[in-house]
């Protein structure tokens, strides 16, 4: 679950990270009132759950309350990367001298939290990571010790901070960010930019937190921050139907039971030259409603050219799943071809049911993947 910038900054502030004292507005009038209250120039910022708002025109400076109202009106009418802007954050404008980057992310390969910093912060950090990765300094944190002062200093020196006071505040912020990350069971916590402002102070001007959904039960106050209006429709559907869904860039939709089997299915699709359009684990059982929900989610992605259903019938019987699929197909009536492979309990009956419904079937995963790749390339 992603938190909005304003929510992330509130959480940062609770852990002692300096943030601008802004407020959220849902109407242009509210934005004007906030700007008047703050006095002086403000920055009006779209609150949507995607990055790159600045480049999309969702971050604008305003010198007066009138201007703040006008900018808020423009931004509140925008759609950024498919998401409608329903709220804006009105922050006192900062006098930015330098833009640094500071982030904490789960490094699964290292089984540690990695804390990263860069002097090249701001809107192009993804480009920096891709083209000049040496400009990003990383330390990995021992979970029993936490982010040690010497590690935070290593980051500070690594990005060229020398001034004693500035290094001290950087160390304080880095440790606070790590604490916020751990305390909220996050998988990502990012400040970009961490700005050096006019008086030399460091301030978190942007904030991004991604929470681990599996740990949300431990944080009811964070779970309550979920903004359903801002969730992508496919993600919302997946969540309410208890499906694990991750959208990818390919053309072959995958519907699989079990995360391990879903990974294997994607590997085999790639082996035969295809690209999976998604990862979707429908979990145990496969009643028609759930299968239909999964189909709708997969088919809502316009890049999908063929769908591969790969099911292992264990406790869930294959024939039940097959009936669920046929029923769902009647309901959803997709315009792209489906290939289904069901093995395990009652696989034979499953195959008969699918063939009677004119579905392309396969008995091995290799055969199923090859057929799906061929259909997708047609
Ligand atoms: P993002 O594009 O979604 O990452 O949104 P950010 O909150 O990071 O804002 C994008 C850029 O807008 C920042 O990198 C800054 O350059 C600029 N910006 C944001 N807040 C302020 C501010 O208070 N004053 C000034 N001058 N620029 C700002
Ligand atoms: Mn940013």
């Amino acid at each position: 679950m992603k938190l909005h910038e304003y929510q992330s900054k509130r959480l940062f502030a609770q852990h002692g990270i300096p943030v601008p004292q802004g407020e959220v507005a849902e109407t242009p009038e509210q934005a004007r009132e906030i700007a008047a209250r703050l006095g002086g120039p403000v920055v009006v910022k779209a609150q949507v759950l995607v990055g790159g708002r600045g480049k999309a025109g969702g971050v604008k400076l305003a010198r007066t309350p009138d201007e703040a109202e006008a900018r808020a009106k423009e931004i509140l009418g925008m759609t950024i990367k498919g998401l409608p802007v329903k709220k804006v954050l009105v922050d006192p404008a900062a006098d930015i001298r330098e833009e640094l980057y500071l982030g904490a992310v789960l490094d699964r390969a290292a089984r540690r939290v990695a804390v990263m910093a860069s002097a090249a912060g701001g809107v192009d950090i993804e480009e920096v990571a891709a083209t000049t990765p040496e400009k990003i300094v990383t330390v990995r944190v021992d979970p029993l010790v936490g982010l040690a002062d010497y590690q935070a200093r290593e980051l500070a020196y690594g990005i060229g901070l020398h001034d004693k006071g500035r290094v001290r505040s950087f160390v304080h912020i880095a440790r606070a960010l790590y604490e916020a990350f751990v305390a909220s069971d996050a998988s990502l916590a990012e400040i970009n930019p961490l700005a050096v402002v006019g008086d030399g102070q460091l301030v978190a001007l942007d904030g991004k937190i991604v929470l681990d959904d599996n740990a949300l039960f431990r944080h009811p106050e964070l779970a309550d921050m979920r903004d359903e209006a801002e969730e992508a429709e496919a993600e919302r559907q997946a969540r309410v139907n208890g499906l694990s869904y991750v959208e990818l860039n390919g053309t072959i939709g995958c519907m699989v039971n079990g995360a391990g089997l879903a990974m294997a299915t994607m590997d085999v699709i790639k082996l035969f030259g295809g690209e999976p359009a998604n990862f979707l684990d429908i979990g145990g059982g496969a009643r028609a409603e759930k299968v239909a929900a999964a189909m709708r989610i997969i088919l809502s992605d316009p890049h999908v050219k063929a769908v591969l259903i790969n099911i292992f019938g264990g406790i869930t019987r294959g024939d039940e799943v097959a009936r669920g699929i046929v029923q769902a197909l009647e309901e959803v009536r997709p315009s792209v071809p489906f290939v289904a492979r069901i093995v395990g309990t009652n696989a034979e009956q499953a195959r008969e049911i699918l063939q009677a419904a004119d579905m392309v079937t396969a008995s091995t995963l290799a055969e199923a993947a090859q057929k799906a790749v061929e259909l997708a390339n047609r």
Side-chain angles (χ1 to χ4, degrees), residues 248-252 254 262-278 308 365-366 368-370 372-373 377:
L248 303 168
N249 299 318
T251 57
I252 300 177
C254 304
M263 299 295 261
T265 305
M266 300 196 310
D267 281 349
V268 177
I269 287 173
K270 284 182 97 86
L271 181 67
F272 289 107
E275 281 293 330
N278 67 276
L308 171 53
L365 177 50
Q370 274 169 300
V373 172
N377 291 339

mmCIF file of all heavy atoms in Angstrom, residues 248-252 254 262-278 308 365-366 368-370 372-373 377:
data_model
loop_
_atom_site.group_PDB
_atom_site.id
_atom_site.type_symbol
_atom_site.label_atom_id
_atom_site.label_comp_id
_atom_site.label_asym_id
_atom_site.label_seq_id
_atom_site.Cartn_x
_atom_site.Cartn_y
_atom_site.Cartn_z
ATOM 1 N N LEU A 248 2.734 -6.247 -15.212
ATOM 2 C CA LEU A 248 4.063 -6.213 -15.825
ATOM 3 C C LEU A 248 3.931 -5.635 -17.233
ATOM 4 O O LEU A 248 2.868 -5.145 -17.593
ATOM 5 C CB LEU A 248 4.660 -7.622 -15.845
ATOM 6 C CG LEU A 248 4.769 -8.303 -14.468
ATOM 7 C CD1 LEU A 248 5.098 -9.778 -14.616
ATOM 8 C CD2 LEU A 248 5.814 -7.615 -13.607
ATOM 9 N N ASN A 249 5.005 -5.748 -18.047
ATOM 10 C CA ASN A 249 4.988 -5.035 -19.323
ATOM 11 C C ASN A 249 4.670 -5.858 -20.563
ATOM 12 O O ASN A 249 4.631 -5.315 -21.659
ATOM 13 C CB ASN A 249 6.340 -4.339 -19.530
ATOM 14 C CG ASN A 249 6.597 -3.341 -18.443
ATOM 15 O OD1 ASN A 249 5.704 -2.596 -18.040
ATOM 16 N ND2 ASN A 249 7.812 -3.338 -17.907
ATOM 17 N N GLY A 250 4.472 -7.171 -20.409
ATOM 18 C CA GLY A 250 4.334 -8.018 -21.591
ATOM 19 C C GLY A 250 2.930 -8.126 -22.144
ATOM 20 O O GLY A 250 2.064 -7.284 -21.867
ATOM 21 N N THR A 251 2.693 -9.189 -22.947
ATOM 22 C CA THR A 251 1.424 -9.345 -23.658
ATOM 23 C C THR A 251 0.650 -10.599 -23.253
ATOM 24 O O THR A 251 -0.460 -10.807 -23.713
ATOM 25 C CB THR A 251 1.675 -9.427 -25.177
ATOM 26 O OG1 THR A 251 2.574 -10.518 -25.425
ATOM 27 C CG2 THR A 251 2.269 -8.147 -25.728
ATOM 28 N N ILE A 252 1.268 -11.452 -22.431
ATOM 29 C CA ILE A 252 0.576 -12.696 -22.061
ATOM 30 C C ILE A 252 0.073 -12.619 -20.617
ATOM 31 O O ILE A 252 0.859 -12.549 -19.671
ATOM 32 C CB ILE A 252 1.498 -13.906 -22.260
ATOM 33 C CG1 ILE A 252 1.925 -13.981 -23.734
ATOM 34 C CG2 ILE A 252 0.784 -15.195 -21.833
ATOM 35 C CD1 ILE A 252 2.877 -15.081 -24.049
ATOM 36 N N CYS A 254 -1.404 -13.943 -17.225
ATOM 37 C CA CYS A 254 -1.212 -15.210 -16.530
ATOM 38 C C CYS A 254 -2.205 -15.334 -15.383
ATOM 39 O O CYS A 254 -2.393 -14.388 -14.625
ATOM 40 C CB CYS A 254 0.183 -15.305 -15.921
ATOM 41 S SG CYS A 254 1.500 -15.065 -17.091
ATOM 42 N N ALA A 262 3.200 -19.429 -10.200
ATOM 43 C CA ALA A 262 3.098 -18.211 -11.017
ATOM 44 C C ALA A 262 4.478 -17.779 -11.485
ATOM 45 O O ALA A 262 4.668 -17.410 -12.652
ATOM 46 C CB ALA A 262 2.428 -17.094 -10.220
ATOM 47 N N MET A 263 5.473 -17.852 -10.601
ATOM 48 C CA MET A 263 6.844 -17.493 -10.982
ATOM 49 C C MET A 263 7.349 -18.451 -12.067
ATOM 50 O O MET A 263 7.937 -18.016 -13.061
ATOM 51 C CB MET A 263 7.783 -17.593 -9.764
ATOM 52 C CG MET A 263 7.433 -16.677 -8.626
ATOM 53 S SD MET A 263 7.605 -14.973 -9.087
ATOM 54 C CE MET A 263 9.176 -14.639 -8.390
ATOM 55 N N ALA A 264 7.123 -19.747 -11.864
ATOM 56 C CA ALA A 264 7.584 -20.744 -12.836
ATOM 57 C C ALA A 264 6.910 -20.509 -14.186
ATOM 58 O O ALA A 264 7.536 -20.606 -15.245
ATOM 59 C CB ALA A 264 7.276 -22.151 -12.319
ATOM 60 N N THR A 265 5.624 -20.165 -14.152
ATOM 61 C CA THR A 265 4.880 -19.924 -15.392
ATOM 62 C C THR A 265 5.479 -18.752 -16.157
ATOM 63 O O THR A 265 5.680 -18.818 -17.373
ATOM 64 C CB THR A 265 3.398 -19.643 -15.053
ATOM 65 O OG1 THR A 265 2.891 -20.735 -14.279
ATOM 66 C CG2 THR A 265 2.564 -19.491 -16.320
ATOM 67 N N MET A 266 5.798 -17.692 -15.431
ATOM 68 C CA MET A 266 6.402 -16.529 -16.093
ATOM 69 C C MET A 266 7.758 -16.888 -16.694
ATOM 70 O O MET A 266 8.084 -16.472 -17.804
ATOM 71 C CB MET A 266 6.544 -15.376 -15.091
ATOM 72 C CG MET A 266 5.194 -14.945 -14.522
ATOM 73 S SD MET A 266 5.205 -13.345 -13.723
ATOM 74 C CE MET A 266 6.563 -13.485 -12.641
ATOM 75 N N ASP A 267 8.539 -17.690 -15.949
ATOM 76 C CA ASP A 267 9.850 -18.116 -16.469
ATOM 77 C C ASP A 267 9.693 -18.889 -17.777
ATOM 78 O O ASP A 267 10.428 -18.663 -18.736
ATOM 79 C CB ASP A 267 10.560 -19.020 -15.446
ATOM 80 C CG ASP A 267 11.207 -18.226 -14.328
ATOM 81 O OD1 ASP A 267 11.283 -16.987 -14.459
ATOM 82 O OD2 ASP A 267 11.634 -18.847 -13.341
ATOM 83 N N VAL A 268 8.729 -19.799 -17.806
ATOM 84 C CA VAL A 268 8.580 -20.646 -19.001
ATOM 85 C C VAL A 268 8.047 -19.816 -20.180
ATOM 86 O O VAL A 268 8.452 -20.025 -21.320
ATOM 87 C CB VAL A 268 7.700 -21.878 -18.695
ATOM 88 C CG1 VAL A 268 7.483 -22.709 -19.946
ATOM 89 C CG2 VAL A 268 8.369 -22.731 -17.616
ATOM 90 N N ILE A 269 7.186 -18.862 -19.896
ATOM 91 C CA ILE A 269 6.730 -17.959 -20.971
ATOM 92 C C ILE A 269 7.933 -17.241 -21.579
ATOM 93 O O ILE A 269 8.100 -17.171 -22.801
ATOM 94 C CB ILE A 269 5.711 -16.934 -20.425
ATOM 95 C CG1 ILE A 269 4.371 -17.629 -20.149
ATOM 96 C CG2 ILE A 269 5.514 -15.774 -21.419
ATOM 97 C CD1 ILE A 269 3.339 -16.751 -19.463
ATOM 98 N N LYS A 270 8.800 -16.750 -20.726
ATOM 99 C CA LYS A 270 9.989 -16.040 -21.218
ATOM 100 C C LYS A 270 10.914 -16.986 -21.988
ATOM 101 O O LYS A 270 11.490 -16.612 -22.999
ATOM 102 C CB LYS A 270 10.745 -15.395 -20.051
ATOM 103 C CG LYS A 270 10.073 -14.129 -19.541
ATOM 104 C CD LYS A 270 10.868 -13.489 -18.417
ATOM 105 C CE LYS A 270 11.765 -12.383 -18.895
ATOM 106 N NZ LYS A 270 11.129 -11.077 -18.979
ATOM 107 N N LEU A 271 11.011 -18.207 -21.487
ATOM 108 C CA LEU A 271 11.860 -19.203 -22.161
ATOM 109 C C LEU A 271 11.441 -19.390 -23.617
ATOM 110 O O LEU A 271 12.272 -19.565 -24.501
ATOM 111 C CB LEU A 271 11.771 -20.542 -21.411
ATOM 112 C CG LEU A 271 12.602 -21.697 -21.956
ATOM 113 C CD1 LEU A 271 14.090 -21.404 -21.782
ATOM 114 C CD2 LEU A 271 12.240 -22.993 -21.232
ATOM 115 N N PHE A 272 10.136 -19.325 -23.867
ATOM 116 C CA PHE A 272 9.654 -19.509 -25.242
ATOM 117 C C PHE A 272 9.475 -18.183 -25.980
ATOM 118 O O PHE A 272 8.764 -18.099 -26.975
ATOM 119 C CB PHE A 272 8.365 -20.337 -25.243
ATOM 120 C CG PHE A 272 8.622 -21.783 -24.902
ATOM 121 C CD1 PHE A 272 8.252 -22.291 -23.669
ATOM 122 C CD2 PHE A 272 9.292 -22.607 -25.807
ATOM 123 C CE1 PHE A 272 8.523 -23.619 -23.348
ATOM 124 C CE2 PHE A 272 9.566 -23.935 -25.487
ATOM 125 C CZ PHE A 272 9.185 -24.439 -24.254
ATOM 126 N N GLY A 273 10.100 -17.152 -25.463
ATOM 127 C CA GLY A 273 10.162 -15.890 -26.200
ATOM 128 C C GLY A 273 9.007 -14.952 -25.945
ATOM 129 O O GLY A 273 8.876 -13.925 -26.624
ATOM 130 N N GLY A 274 8.149 -15.245 -24.976
ATOM 131 C CA GLY A 274 7.043 -14.344 -24.665
ATOM 132 C C GLY A 274 7.365 -13.457 -23.477
ATOM 133 O O GLY A 274 8.419 -13.611 -22.842
ATOM 134 N N GLU A 275 6.472 -12.518 -23.205
ATOM 135 C CA GLU A 275 6.644 -11.635 -22.045
ATOM 136 C C GLU A 275 5.340 -11.641 -21.236
ATOM 137 O O GLU A 275 4.275 -11.319 -21.777
ATOM 138 C CB GLU A 275 6.918 -10.192 -22.501
ATOM 139 C CG GLU A 275 8.342 -9.919 -22.938
ATOM 140 C CD GLU A 275 9.352 -10.002 -21.795
ATOM 141 O OE1 GLU A 275 8.975 -9.714 -20.631
ATOM 142 O OE2 GLU A 275 10.508 -10.369 -22.065
ATOM 143 N N PRO A 276 5.411 -11.989 -19.964
ATOM 144 C CA PRO A 276 4.180 -11.975 -19.150
ATOM 145 C C PRO A 276 3.647 -10.554 -18.954
ATOM 146 O O PRO A 276 4.414 -9.616 -18.786
ATOM 147 C CB PRO A 276 4.614 -12.589 -17.820
ATOM 148 C CG PRO A 276 6.105 -12.583 -17.813
ATOM 149 C CD PRO A 276 6.574 -12.499 -19.234
ATOM 150 N N ALA A 277 2.324 -10.426 -19.018
ATOM 151 C CA ALA A 277 1.686 -9.122 -18.825
ATOM 152 C C ALA A 277 1.419 -8.859 -17.350
ATOM 153 O O ALA A 277 1.132 -7.733 -16.957
ATOM 154 C CB ALA A 277 0.378 -9.055 -19.600
ATOM 155 N N ASN A 278 1.470 -9.921 -16.566
ATOM 156 C CA ASN A 278 1.168 -9.750 -15.146
ATOM 157 C C ASN A 278 1.566 -10.994 -14.368
ATOM 158 O O ASN A 278 1.828 -12.048 -14.945
ATOM 159 C CB ASN A 278 -0.340 -9.522 -14.948
ATOM 160 C CG ASN A 278 -1.134 -10.763 -15.305
ATOM 161 O OD1 ASN A 278 -1.447 -10.978 -16.467
ATOM 162 N ND2 ASN A 278 -1.416 -11.597 -14.321
ATOM 163 N N LEU A 308 -2.832 -17.184 -20.429
ATOM 164 C CA LEU A 308 -2.441 -18.539 -20.074
ATOM 165 C C LEU A 308 -2.940 -18.849 -18.663
ATOM 166 O O LEU A 308 -2.600 -18.146 -17.713
ATOM 167 C CB LEU A 308 -0.913 -18.668 -20.154
ATOM 168 C CG LEU A 308 -0.290 -19.959 -19.601
ATOM 169 C CD1 LEU A 308 -0.938 -21.186 -20.213
ATOM 170 C CD2 LEU A 308 1.198 -19.970 -19.884
ATOM 171 N N LEU A 365 3.346 -27.649 -19.181
ATOM 172 C CA LEU A 365 3.511 -26.198 -19.101
ATOM 173 C C LEU A 365 4.222 -25.678 -20.348
ATOM 174 O O LEU A 365 3.886 -24.624 -20.878
ATOM 175 C CB LEU A 365 4.293 -25.833 -17.817
ATOM 176 C CG LEU A 365 4.611 -24.365 -17.602
ATOM 177 C CD1 LEU A 365 3.379 -23.479 -17.770
ATOM 178 C CD2 LEU A 365 5.232 -24.159 -16.222
ATOM 179 N N ALA A 366 5.200 -26.468 -20.843
ATOM 180 C CA ALA A 366 5.933 -26.041 -22.040
ATOM 181 C C ALA A 366 4.965 -25.878 -23.216
ATOM 182 O O ALA A 366 4.993 -24.867 -23.928
ATOM 183 C CB ALA A 366 7.018 -27.054 -22.378
ATOM 184 N N ALA A 368 1.726 -25.426 -23.107
ATOM 185 C CA ALA A 368 0.812 -24.315 -22.847
ATOM 186 C C ALA A 368 1.487 -22.980 -23.138
ATOM 187 O O ALA A 368 0.914 -22.103 -23.794
ATOM 188 C CB ALA A 368 0.348 -24.359 -21.390
ATOM 189 N N ALA A 369 2.725 -22.823 -22.691
ATOM 190 C CA ALA A 369 3.441 -21.561 -22.886
ATOM 191 C C ALA A 369 3.679 -21.315 -24.371
ATOM 192 O O ALA A 369 3.472 -20.207 -24.870
ATOM 193 C CB ALA A 369 4.765 -21.580 -22.122
ATOM 194 N N GLN A 370 4.092 -22.369 -25.093
ATOM 195 C CA GLN A 370 4.336 -22.204 -26.529
ATOM 196 C C GLN A 370 3.071 -21.776 -27.262
ATOM 197 O O GLN A 370 3.103 -20.887 -28.108
ATOM 198 C CB GLN A 370 4.850 -23.522 -27.126
ATOM 199 C CG GLN A 370 6.354 -23.664 -26.994
ATOM 200 C CD GLN A 370 6.816 -25.066 -27.342
ATOM 201 O OE1 GLN A 370 6.414 -26.046 -26.714
ATOM 202 N NE2 GLN A 370 7.650 -25.163 -28.361
ATOM 203 N N ALA A 372 0.493 -20.206 -25.989
ATOM 204 C CA ALA A 372 0.137 -18.836 -25.598
ATOM 205 C C ALA A 372 1.019 -17.826 -26.327
ATOM 206 O O ALA A 372 0.544 -16.793 -26.817
ATOM 207 C CB ALA A 372 0.262 -18.669 -24.085
ATOM 208 N N VAL A 373 2.318 -18.120 -26.422
ATOM 209 C CA VAL A 373 3.243 -17.202 -27.108
ATOM 210 C C VAL A 373 2.842 -17.063 -28.573
ATOM 211 O O VAL A 373 2.778 -15.959 -29.122
ATOM 212 C CB VAL A 373 4.712 -17.699 -26.980
ATOM 213 C CG1 VAL A 373 5.650 -16.870 -27.859
ATOM 214 C CG2 VAL A 373 5.173 -17.645 -25.524
ATOM 215 N N ASN A 377 1.468 -13.649 -30.475
ATOM 216 C CA ASN A 377 2.227 -13.040 -31.573
ATOM 217 C C ASN A 377 1.447 -12.978 -32.874
ATOM 218 O O ASN A 377 1.930 -12.436 -33.868
ATOM 219 C CB ASN A 377 3.516 -13.807 -31.804
ATOM 220 C CG ASN A 377 4.485 -13.611 -30.652
ATOM 221 O OD1 ASN A 377 4.359 -12.626 -29.912
ATOM 222 N ND2 ASN A 377 5.423 -14.514 -30.492
#
